[in-house]
């Protein structure tokens, strides 16, 4: 869980899912220092989210390559709310970065294709299980549409799907104090 509790590591995972990369290539693509890239890569390796994927010769030396599996599941530890909060903050930061980047690169027709929704709904436990199944199926079906890198027409898009319990909104009680 701590391995993905940083926006840089979330971005690294995305790159490592696409192709094996070295720490120096990650640093270049993420525009960070080599030492930072190596540190974040080590955190992913320790967390079991990245692994060695070979090596290549570069300028008389060798470079270790790393990759990440397509599906990474993180077990949340309810006894560690600080790390859960840090992981959530990292995902929110990365989502914000991608939304800002997309806003700066608007093209004709983009807004007609974007699907952005934020809703709070109420689900009984049985229906929440069904909603989770539907969400997982939707993710699998959309990922199956993923264009191969050699397909020149494929453009990167971000797919985010969040389904989590939120606290009940506070309601004023009869004496004016808030209750949940």
């Amino acid at each position: 869980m701590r391995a993905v509790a940083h926006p840089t590591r979330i971005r690294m995972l995305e790159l490592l899912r696409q192709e094996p990369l070295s720490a120096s290539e990650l640093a270049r693509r993420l525009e960070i220092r080599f030492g930072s890239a190596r540190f974040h890569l080590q955190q992913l390796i320790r967390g079991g989210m990245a692994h060695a994927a070979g090596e290549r010769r570069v300028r008389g030396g060798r470079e270790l390559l790393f990759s990440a599996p397509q599906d990474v599941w993180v077990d949340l530890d309810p006894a560690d709310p600080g790390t859960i909060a840090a992981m959530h903050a990292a995902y929110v930061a990365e989502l914000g970065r991608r939304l800002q980047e997309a806003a700066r690169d608007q093209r004709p027709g983009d807004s007609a294709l974007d699907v952005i929704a934020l809703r709070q709904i109420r689900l009984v436990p049985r229906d929440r299980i069904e909603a989770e199944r539907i969400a997982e199926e939707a993710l699998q079906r959309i990922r199956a549409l993923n264009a191969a890198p050699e397909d020149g027409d494929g453009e990167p898009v971000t797919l985010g799907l969040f389904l989590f319990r939120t606290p009940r909104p506070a309601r004023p009680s009869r004496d004016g104090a808030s209750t949940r």
Side-chain angles (χ1 to χ4, degrees):
M1 190 167 63
R2 284 186 178 101
V4 291
H6 196 283
T8 299
R9 293 193 282 268
I10 292 170
R11 293 177 66 200
M12 275 187 173
L13 274 176
E14 191 69 30
L15 292 170
L16 293 172
R17 285 185 188 120
Q18 296 170 18
E19 63 183 306
L21 297 170
S22 65
S24 60
E25 182 63 20
L26 285 166
R28 188 183 68 71
R29 291 191 190 183
L30 296 172
E31 299 177 344
I32 60 175
R33 293 184 174 181
F34 173 74
S36 293
R38 203 167 71 195
F39 170 79
H40 289 299
L41 181 58
Q42 286 301 318
Q43 296 301 309
L44 292 173
I45 292 167
R46 265 187 280 215
M49 299 196 172
H51 57 273
E55 59 183 62
R56 68 176 167 212
R57 292 227 170 263
V58 205
R59 295 181 296 277
R62 68 183 180 108
E63 218 173 33
L64 297 177
L65 302 174
F66 298 89
S67 65
Q70 290 298 314
D71 290 316
V72 176
W73 293 99
V74 177
D75 292 326
L76 300 178
D77 181 1
D80 191 358
T83 302
I84 291 173
M87 189 177 77
H88 289 175
Y91 274 95
V92 168
E94 177 59 12
L95 179 60
R97 186 193 68 76
R98 290 183 188 195
L99 285 167
Q100 288 175 348
E101 196 173 77
R104 286 191 298 270
D105 185 38
Q106 282 295 303
R107 299 176 190 165
D110 276 357
S111 61
L113 299 173
D114 292 350
V115 178
I116 298 175
L118 182 63
R119 302 284 187 277
Q120 183 168 320
I121 60 173
R122 298 176 64 84
L123 297 172
V124 296
R126 166 187 84 249
D127 292 339
R128 178 166 176 185
I129 291 168
E130 178 64 4
E132 289 170 355
R133 187 195 64 73
I134 291 168
E136 179 57 33
E137 180 183 324
L139 285 172
Q140 288 175 3
R141 289 180 64 192
I142 293 169
R143 281 203 345 241
L145 301 172
N146 191 19
E150 57 272 4
D151 183 0
D153 291 339
E155 281 198 281
V157 297
T158 293
L159 169 64
L161 180 61
F162 304 91
L163 179 67
F164 55 93
R165 188 191 61 73
T166 52
R168 293 175 188 243
R171 292 182 300 248
S173 66
R174 290 184 186 166
D175 65 358
S178 293
T179 62
R180 289 198 185 253

